[in-house]
Amino acid sequence: NIQEKVQNGKTSLGFHFDAIDSSSLSSTETNGEKKYQVKGATGVIGIKDCIKGGERIVFPTVNRQHIDKVTSILKDYNPTSPKSVINNCIPEVTEEPISGVLMLFNGGNVLHCVSAVQEGERLASVFLFSEEKPSNSSTNMNSA
């Protein structure tokens, strides 16, 4: 990920959940039961720190089933106050430098973003790790 200064933006990398399967299929139905894409852990290796902004913001209690909370976070997030509680959801804000650091977190299952880079450039390499063996996955074989 390469994030440069954002003009009038709330985030450099918007709020999202990571997905191992990059296909356009979001779910399939088997015997009346919905099966969702495989989610997983996210690894981020920091390469270059920006001068100002670019914090990783994670809402650890907000997962894909909390649509109402996701909606209010997207609507009410204030980039000038990234630690603000929104709809009773408390963000974890990582302000420490990322360069040379490997960070692992539950990116496939928690809402997260990178705050707006205000000065400089932020570089990071991102890796996604599946929670299931590809042979046990209910996703299509192209994502295995």
Side-chain angles (χ1 to χ4, degrees):
N1 290 337
I2 300 172
Q3 288 122 22
E4 297 177 331
K5 185 175 179 179
V6 175
Q7 299 292 337
N8 303 318
K10 288 186 172 186
T11 62
S12 286
L13 182 61
F15 283 103
H16 64 282
F17 299 97
D18 294 330
I20 302 304
D21 183 352
S22 61
S23 74
S24 60
L25 297 175
S26 61
S27 68
T28 57
E29 201 163 308
T30 308
N31 300 330
E33 179 182 327
K34 282 193 172 188
K35 301 255 181 189
Y36 293 90
Q37 291 175 328
V38 176
K39 315 310 182 279
T42 300
V44 178
I45 298 175
I47 298 170
K48 181 180 179 184
D49 294 308
C50 60
I51 297 166
K52 187 176 179 185
E55 299 90 356
R56 188 182 71 202
I57 301 169
V58 177
F59 283 88
T61 60
V62 180
N63 61 39
R64 295 168 189 265
Q65 285 71 43
H66 298 127
I67 299 301
D68 60 326
K69 292 181 179 182
V70 171
T71 301
S72 64
I73 290 168
L74 292 176
K75 181 177 151 278
D76 297 335
Y77 172 73
N78 180 349
T80 62
S81 183
K83 294 181 181 179
S84 294
V85 176
I86 302 171
N87 195 11
N88 295 319
C89 301
I90 302 169
E92 292 178 357
V93 179
T94 303
E95 298 173 324
E96 292 82 17
I98 63 164
S99 183
V101 176
L102 169 64
M103 298 166 280
L104 299 173
F105 69 106
N106 195 13
N109 301 303
V110 295
L111 185 68
H112 62 282
C113 78
V114 174
S115 71
V117 169
Q118 298 169 25
E119 187 178 342
E121 182 178 63
R122 181 185 191 268
L123 300 171
S125 182
V126 179
F127 303 90
L128 304 175
F129 302 92
S130 178
E131 294 175 344
E132 299 178 36
K133 293 180 182 177
S135 60
N136 297 334
S137 172
S138 61
T139 60
N140 69 42
M141 293 307 293
N142 292 333
S143 67

